[in-house]
mmCIF file of all heavy atoms in Angstrom:
data_model
loop_
_atom_site.group_PDB
_atom_site.id
_atom_site.type_symbol
_atom_site.label_atom_id
_atom_site.label_comp_id
_atom_site.label_asym_id
_atom_site.label_seq_id
_atom_site.Cartn_x
_atom_site.Cartn_y
_atom_site.Cartn_z
ATOM 1 N N ASP A 1 1.849 18.869 14.225
ATOM 2 C CA ASP A 1 2.357 17.534 14.500
ATOM 3 C C ASP A 1 3.354 17.073 13.450
ATOM 4 O O ASP A 1 3.967 16.011 13.616
ATOM 5 C CB ASP A 1 1.214 16.526 14.576
ATOM 6 C CG ASP A 1 0.284 16.768 15.751
ATOM 7 O OD1 ASP A 1 0.779 17.101 16.851
ATOM 8 O OD2 ASP A 1 -0.939 16.616 15.571
ATOM 9 N N THR A 2 3.499 17.828 12.381
ATOM 10 C CA THR A 2 4.441 17.480 11.330
ATOM 11 C C THR A 2 5.854 17.389 11.897
ATOM 12 O O THR A 2 6.349 18.331 12.511
ATOM 13 C CB THR A 2 4.399 18.511 10.199
ATOM 14 O OG1 THR A 2 3.118 18.473 9.567
ATOM 15 C CG2 THR A 2 5.470 18.220 9.157
ATOM 16 N N ALA A 3 6.490 16.250 11.697
ATOM 17 C CA ALA A 3 7.817 16.018 12.255
ATOM 18 C C ALA A 3 8.308 14.652 11.811
ATOM 19 O O ALA A 3 7.555 13.850 11.255
ATOM 20 C CB ALA A 3 7.790 16.078 13.787
ATOM 21 N N VAL A 4 9.572 14.399 12.075
ATOM 22 C CA VAL A 4 10.101 13.053 11.988
ATOM 23 C C VAL A 4 9.934 12.419 13.364
ATOM 24 O O VAL A 4 10.389 12.975 14.364
ATOM 25 C CB VAL A 4 11.578 13.034 11.565
ATOM 26 C CG1 VAL A 4 12.107 11.603 11.537
ATOM 27 C CG2 VAL A 4 11.747 13.685 10.199
ATOM 28 N N TYR A 5 9.280 11.281 13.402
ATOM 29 C CA TYR A 5 8.997 10.605 14.661
ATOM 30 C C TYR A 5 9.970 9.455 14.874
ATOM 31 O O TYR A 5 10.191 8.633 13.979
ATOM 32 C CB TYR A 5 7.561 10.082 14.681
ATOM 33 C CG TYR A 5 6.548 11.175 14.927
ATOM 34 C CD1 TYR A 5 6.269 12.111 13.940
ATOM 35 C CD2 TYR A 5 5.888 11.283 16.144
ATOM 36 C CE1 TYR A 5 5.361 13.133 14.159
ATOM 37 C CE2 TYR A 5 4.977 12.300 16.371
ATOM 38 C CZ TYR A 5 4.715 13.217 15.380
ATOM 39 O OH TYR A 5 3.805 14.234 15.605
ATOM 40 N N TYR A 6 10.540 9.401 16.063
ATOM 41 C CA TYR A 6 11.505 8.380 16.433
ATOM 42 C C TYR A 6 11.005 7.594 17.631
ATOM 43 O O TYR A 6 10.437 8.165 18.565
ATOM 44 C CB TYR A 6 12.850 9.005 16.814
ATOM 45 C CG TYR A 6 13.533 9.785 15.727
ATOM 46 C CD1 TYR A 6 13.233 11.130 15.514
ATOM 47 C CD2 TYR A 6 14.494 9.194 14.921
ATOM 48 C CE1 TYR A 6 13.865 11.857 14.521
ATOM 49 C CE2 TYR A 6 15.136 9.913 13.929
ATOM 50 C CZ TYR A 6 14.816 11.249 13.738
ATOM 51 O OH TYR A 6 15.454 11.967 12.757
ATOM 52 N N CYS A 7 11.235 6.297 17.630
ATOM 53 C CA CYS A 7 11.020 5.514 18.836
ATOM 54 C C CYS A 7 12.364 5.244 19.490
ATOM 55 O O CYS A 7 13.407 5.250 18.839
ATOM 56 C CB CYS A 7 10.282 4.208 18.548
ATOM 57 S SG CYS A 7 11.144 3.040 17.483
ATOM 58 N N GLY A 8 12.321 5.024 20.782
ATOM 59 C CA GLY A 8 13.531 4.758 21.529
ATOM 60 C C GLY A 8 13.245 3.914 22.754
ATOM 61 O O GLY A 8 12.106 3.861 23.229
ATOM 62 N N THR A 9 14.259 3.258 23.269
ATOM 63 C CA THR A 9 14.122 2.422 24.452
ATOM 64 C C THR A 9 15.141 2.820 25.511
ATOM 65 O O THR A 9 16.239 3.293 25.194
ATOM 66 C CB THR A 9 14.291 0.931 24.117
ATOM 67 O OG1 THR A 9 15.566 0.728 23.488
ATOM 68 C CG2 THR A 9 13.197 0.461 23.177
ATOM 69 N N ALA A 10 14.776 2.606 26.757
ATOM 70 C CA ALA A 10 15.612 2.908 27.906
ATOM 71 C C ALA A 10 14.877 2.455 29.159
ATOM 72 O O ALA A 10 13.670 2.193 29.110
ATOM 73 C CB ALA A 10 15.913 4.406 27.990
ATOM 74 N N PRO A 11 15.561 2.368 30.296
ATOM 75 C CA PRO A 11 14.830 2.164 31.544
ATOM 76 C C PRO A 11 13.816 3.281 31.754
ATOM 77 O O PRO A 11 14.035 4.422 31.355
ATOM 78 C CB PRO A 11 15.937 2.206 32.608
ATOM 79 C CG PRO A 11 17.169 1.779 31.876
ATOM 80 C CD PRO A 11 17.023 2.357 30.500
ATOM 81 N N TRP A 12 12.702 2.958 32.386
ATOM 82 C CA TRP A 12 11.597 3.888 32.553
ATOM 83 C C TRP A 12 12.020 5.222 33.151
ATOM 84 O O TRP A 12 11.663 6.287 32.648
ATOM 85 C CB TRP A 12 10.513 3.236 33.404
ATOM 86 C CG TRP A 12 9.321 4.083 33.741
ATOM 87 C CD1 TRP A 12 8.937 4.490 34.981
ATOM 88 C CD2 TRP A 12 8.350 4.601 32.827
ATOM 89 N NE1 TRP A 12 7.787 5.232 34.902
ATOM 90 C CE2 TRP A 12 7.403 5.313 33.594
ATOM 91 C CE3 TRP A 12 8.182 4.521 31.451
ATOM 92 C CZ2 TRP A 12 6.304 5.953 33.021
ATOM 93 C CZ3 TRP A 12 7.097 5.168 30.879
ATOM 94 C CH2 TRP A 12 6.180 5.860 31.658
ATOM 95 N N SER A 13 12.779 5.164 34.240
ATOM 96 C CA SER A 13 13.165 6.386 34.928
ATOM 97 C C SER A 13 13.999 7.298 34.037
ATOM 98 O O SER A 13 13.899 8.522 34.124
ATOM 99 C CB SER A 13 13.932 6.064 36.211
ATOM 100 O OG SER A 13 15.121 5.340 35.930
ATOM 101 N N LEU A 14 14.819 6.717 33.187
ATOM 102 C CA LEU A 14 15.638 7.511 32.283
ATOM 103 C C LEU A 14 14.824 8.032 31.106
ATOM 104 O O LEU A 14 15.020 9.163 30.661
ATOM 105 C CB LEU A 14 16.824 6.692 31.776
ATOM 106 C CG LEU A 14 17.817 6.233 32.840
ATOM 107 C CD1 LEU A 14 18.953 5.452 32.193
ATOM 108 C CD2 LEU A 14 18.371 7.422 33.612
ATOM 109 N N LEU A 15 13.918 7.201 30.609
ATOM 110 C CA LEU A 15 13.107 7.612 29.479
ATOM 111 C C LEU A 15 12.252 8.831 29.824
ATOM 112 O O LEU A 15 12.021 9.694 28.971
ATOM 113 C CB LEU A 15 12.223 6.457 29.014
ATOM 114 C CG LEU A 15 11.515 6.625 27.675
ATOM 115 C CD1 LEU A 15 12.525 6.826 26.557
ATOM 116 C CD2 LEU A 15 10.649 5.408 27.392
ATOM 117 N N LEU A 16 11.789 8.905 31.056
ATOM 118 C CA LEU A 16 11.006 10.054 31.484
ATOM 119 C C LEU A 16 11.823 11.339 31.472
ATOM 120 O O LEU A 16 11.253 12.429 31.453
ATOM 121 C CB LEU A 16 10.430 9.826 32.880
ATOM 122 C CG LEU A 16 9.367 8.726 32.994
ATOM 123 C CD1 LEU A 16 8.894 8.610 34.432
ATOM 124 C CD2 LEU A 16 8.201 9.006 32.065
ATOM 125 N N ARG A 17 13.123 11.216 31.490
ATOM 126 C CA ARG A 17 14.024 12.357 31.385
ATOM 127 C C ARG A 17 14.549 12.504 29.956
ATOM 128 O O ARG A 17 15.518 13.234 29.728
ATOM 129 C CB ARG A 17 15.201 12.224 32.351
ATOM 130 C CG ARG A 17 14.800 12.010 33.799
ATOM 131 C CD ARG A 17 15.877 12.490 34.764
ATOM 132 N NE ARG A 17 17.198 11.976 34.447
ATOM 133 C CZ ARG A 17 17.779 10.952 35.046
ATOM 134 N NH1 ARG A 17 17.132 10.328 36.026
ATOM 135 N NH2 ARG A 17 18.990 10.568 34.693
ATOM 136 N N SER A 18 13.935 11.802 29.012
ATOM 137 C CA SER A 18 14.317 11.835 27.597
ATOM 138 C C SER A 18 15.725 11.318 27.364
ATOM 139 O O SER A 18 16.413 11.761 26.445
ATOM 140 C CB SER A 18 14.163 13.254 27.021
ATOM 141 O OG SER A 18 12.809 13.659 27.055
ATOM 142 N N GLU A 19 16.154 10.395 28.197
ATOM 143 C CA GLU A 19 17.452 9.753 28.019
ATOM 144 C C GLU A 19 17.218 8.391 27.388
ATOM 145 O O GLU A 19 16.657 7.494 28.010
ATOM 146 C CB GLU A 19 18.180 9.636 29.355
ATOM 147 C CG GLU A 19 18.508 10.985 29.977
ATOM 148 C CD GLU A 19 19.257 10.873 31.284
ATOM 149 O OE1 GLU A 19 19.683 9.755 31.645
ATOM 150 O OE2 GLU A 19 19.428 11.907 31.958
ATOM 151 N N VAL A 20 17.641 8.244 26.152
ATOM 152 C CA VAL A 20 17.341 7.076 25.338
ATOM 153 C C VAL A 20 18.614 6.297 25.035
ATOM 154 O O VAL A 20 19.627 6.886 24.656
ATOM 155 C CB VAL A 20 16.645 7.500 24.029
ATOM 156 C CG1 VAL A 20 16.414 6.295 23.128
ATOM 157 C CG2 VAL A 20 15.333 8.205 24.338
ATOM 158 N N ASP A 21 18.541 4.985 25.183
ATOM 159 C CA ASP A 21 19.689 4.130 24.909
ATOM 160 C C ASP A 21 19.803 3.770 23.435
ATOM 161 O O ASP A 21 20.897 3.754 22.870
ATOM 162 C CB ASP A 21 19.608 2.845 25.735
ATOM 163 C CG ASP A 21 19.803 3.085 27.213
ATOM 164 O OD1 ASP A 21 20.553 4.014 27.573
ATOM 165 O OD2 ASP A 21 19.218 2.330 28.017
ATOM 166 N N ASP A 22 18.681 3.455 22.812
ATOM 167 C CA ASP A 22 18.671 3.023 21.418
ATOM 168 C C ASP A 22 17.553 3.724 20.668
ATOM 169 O O ASP A 22 16.426 3.801 21.148
ATOM 170 C CB ASP A 22 18.486 1.506 21.319
ATOM 171 C CG ASP A 22 19.625 0.744 21.963
ATOM 172 O OD1 ASP A 22 20.705 0.667 21.342
ATOM 173 O OD2 ASP A 22 19.444 0.234 23.083
ATOM 174 N N TRP A 23 17.883 4.222 19.485
ATOM 175 C CA TRP A 23 16.941 4.944 18.639
ATOM 176 C C TRP A 23 16.635 4.185 17.361
ATOM 177 O O TRP A 23 17.486 3.476 16.823
ATOM 178 C CB TRP A 23 17.506 6.302 18.219
ATOM 179 C CG TRP A 23 17.642 7.324 19.294
ATOM 180 C CD1 TRP A 23 18.783 7.682 19.949
ATOM 181 C CD2 TRP A 23 16.607 8.153 19.821
ATOM 182 N NE1 TRP A 23 18.522 8.682 20.855
ATOM 183 C CE2 TRP A 23 17.200 8.990 20.788
ATOM 184 C CE3 TRP A 23 15.240 8.273 19.559
ATOM 185 C CZ2 TRP A 23 16.464 9.933 21.501
ATOM 186 C CZ3 TRP A 23 14.512 9.209 20.272
ATOM 187 C CH2 TRP A 23 15.114 10.028 21.229
ATOM 188 N N GLY A 24 15.422 4.369 16.854
ATOM 189 C CA GLY A 24 15.098 3.937 15.514
ATOM 190 C C GLY A 24 15.570 4.975 14.513
ATOM 191 O O GLY A 24 16.125 6.022 14.872
ATOM 192 N N GLN A 25 15.345 4.720 13.233
ATOM 193 C CA GLN A 25 15.824 5.608 12.181
ATOM 194 C C GLN A 25 14.894 6.781 11.914
ATOM 195 O O GLN A 25 15.292 7.748 11.258
ATOM 196 C CB GLN A 25 16.027 4.814 10.877
ATOM 197 C CG GLN A 25 14.779 4.626 10.016
ATOM 198 C CD GLN A 25 13.761 3.681 10.626
ATOM 199 O OE1 GLN A 25 14.056 2.930 11.548
ATOM 200 N NE2 GLN A 25 12.540 3.704 10.080
ATOM 201 N N GLY A 26 13.685 6.715 12.413
ATOM 202 C CA GLY A 26 12.724 7.783 12.233
ATOM 203 C C GLY A 26 11.789 7.543 11.064
ATOM 204 O O GLY A 26 12.138 6.877 10.091
ATOM 205 N N THR A 27 10.587 8.095 11.171
ATOM 206 C CA THR A 27 9.617 8.021 10.090
ATOM 207 C C THR A 27 8.917 9.372 9.972
ATOM 208 O O THR A 27 8.546 9.984 10.971
ATOM 209 C CB THR A 27 8.598 6.880 10.316
ATOM 210 O OG1 THR A 27 7.742 6.758 9.180
ATOM 211 C CG2 THR A 27 7.755 7.111 11.558
ATOM 212 N N GLN A 28 8.749 9.848 8.747
ATOM 213 C CA GLN A 28 8.210 11.179 8.503
ATOM 214 C C GLN A 28 6.694 11.187 8.612
ATOM 215 O O GLN A 28 6.013 10.339 8.028
ATOM 216 C CB GLN A 28 8.622 11.673 7.113
ATOM 217 C CG GLN A 28 8.037 13.036 6.723
ATOM 218 C CD GLN A 28 8.634 14.169 7.515
ATOM 219 O OE1 GLN A 28 9.856 14.274 7.637
ATOM 220 N NE2 GLN A 28 7.782 15.036 8.053
ATOM 221 N N VAL A 29 6.178 12.164 9.341
ATOM 222 C CA VAL A 29 4.748 12.424 9.418
ATOM 223 C C VAL A 29 4.507 13.853 8.955
ATOM 224 O O VAL A 29 5.089 14.789 9.502
ATOM 225 C CB VAL A 29 4.205 12.233 10.846
ATOM 226 C CG1 VAL A 29 2.759 12.715 10.940
ATOM 227 C CG2 VAL A 29 4.309 10.776 11.260
ATOM 228 N N THR A 30 3.661 14.011 7.955
ATOM 229 C CA THR A 30 3.348 15.326 7.423
ATOM 230 C C THR A 30 1.843 15.543 7.480
ATOM 231 O O THR A 30 1.078 14.735 6.950
ATOM 232 C CB THR A 30 3.838 15.474 5.974
ATOM 233 O OG1 THR A 30 5.251 15.255 5.913
ATOM 234 C CG2 THR A 30 3.539 16.871 5.440
ATOM 235 N N VAL A 31 1.429 16.626 8.117
ATOM 236 C CA VAL A 31 0.012 16.946 8.269
ATOM 237 C C VAL A 31 -0.249 18.272 7.575
ATOM 238 O O VAL A 31 0.321 19.297 7.950
ATOM 239 C CB VAL A 31 -0.399 17.032 9.744
ATOM 240 C CG1 VAL A 31 -1.907 17.253 9.854
ATOM 241 C CG2 VAL A 31 0.011 15.770 10.487
ATOM 242 N N SER A 32 -1.110 18.257 6.578
ATOM 243 C CA SER A 32 -1.418 19.458 5.816
ATOM 244 C C SER A 32 -2.687 20.118 6.338
ATOM 245 O O SER A 32 -3.562 19.463 6.911
ATOM 246 C CB SER A 32 -1.573 19.129 4.333
ATOM 247 O OG SER A 32 -2.618 18.186 4.129
#
């Protein structure tokens, strides 16, 4: 699960296709 995690917004139908209108800057998650 280690990754940089981003949130994003878009209409539902587009989001399900991973088409995002606006992104956050990301936050690091590290699992040891």
Side-chain angles (χ1 to χ4, degrees):
D1 294 320
T2 295
V4 178
Y5 283 72
Y6 299 86
C7 63
T9 57
W12 177 244
S13 61
L14 297 181
L15 192 60
L16 293 180
R17 305 205 310 260
S18 297
E19 297 181 9
V20 176
D21 291 328
D22 297 283
W23 291 102
Q25 84 290 345
T27 185
Q28 177 70 49
V29 171
T30 302
V31 185
S32 60

